Amino acid sequence: MQPRGDDTIIDQKKFVECLGKVVYVKEISPLEIDFEIMGKILLKGKMKITPGISETIEIIFKSPYGRGTIMECKNDVVVKYEGVMGNEMKRKIEECASLSLVKKVS
């Protein structure tokens, strides 16, 4: 995982597009989106950003179940995931988090 500075954030839509072919994406708020993606299987989920000292991004797949978090930790990004497609999905989330980093607009 690439180091991350304080001046970067993850672009939610770019992140979802990286996970698989986007079937549906809807912005619920600036910090939350609902989506459906097609990879090996159709995944329906939600992505929510919780800003703070250590920004946390939560990914929840509703159908089939899976849950992951992306957290900033000492200029590095830590990904945790459990659920459908296990280690394969964790690697994909790590890859997409790195590819989706963008500069913050001040």
Side-chain angles (χ1 to χ4, degrees), residues 29-63:
S29 75
L31 300 175
E32 186 174 347
I33 61 172
D34 278 339
F35 62 88
E36 291 180 16
I37 55 172
M38 184 61 147
K40 288 186 176 183
I41 57 175
L42 180 67
L43 294 168
K44 298 177 183 180
K46 175 169 63 171
M47 181 175 176
K48 183 177 180 182
I49 298 175
T50 306
I53 294 171
S54 179
E55 185 176 276
T56 301
I57 299 162
E58 185 175 30
I59 301 142
I60 302 168
F61 294 119
K62 302 173 214 165
S63 173

Side-chain angles (χ1 to χ4, degrees), residues 58-90:
E58 185 175 30
I59 301 142
I60 302 168
F61 294 119
K62 302 173 214 165
S63 173
Y65 177 79
R67 184 180 202 97
T69 56
I70 304 168
M71 296 175 289
E72 179 185 3
C73 185
K74 295 187 179 182
N75 289 337
D76 199 7
V77 179
V78 177
V79 174
K80 294 181 182 178
Y81 179 80
E82 61 181 42
V84 67
M85 296 175 15
N87 289 333
E88 181 181 344
M89 181 56 75
K90 181 180 178 187

Side-chain angles (χ1 to χ4, degrees), residues 8-51:
T8 59
I9 58 173
I10 290 180
D11 181 320
Q12 294 179 70
K13 290 183 181 175
K14 190 174 179 181
F15 177 82
V16 171
E17 289 170 357
C18 177
L19 286 177
K21 182 178 184 232
V22 176
V23 175
Y24 165 85
V25 66
K26 180 180 179 188
E27 187 175 300
I28 305 301
S29 75
L31 300 175
E32 186 174 347
I33 61 172
D34 278 339
F35 62 88
E36 291 180 16
I37 55 172
M38 184 61 147
K40 288 186 176 183
I41 57 175
L42 180 67
L43 294 168
K44 298 177 183 180
K46 175 169 63 171
M47 181 175 176
K48 183 177 180 182
I49 298 175
T50 306

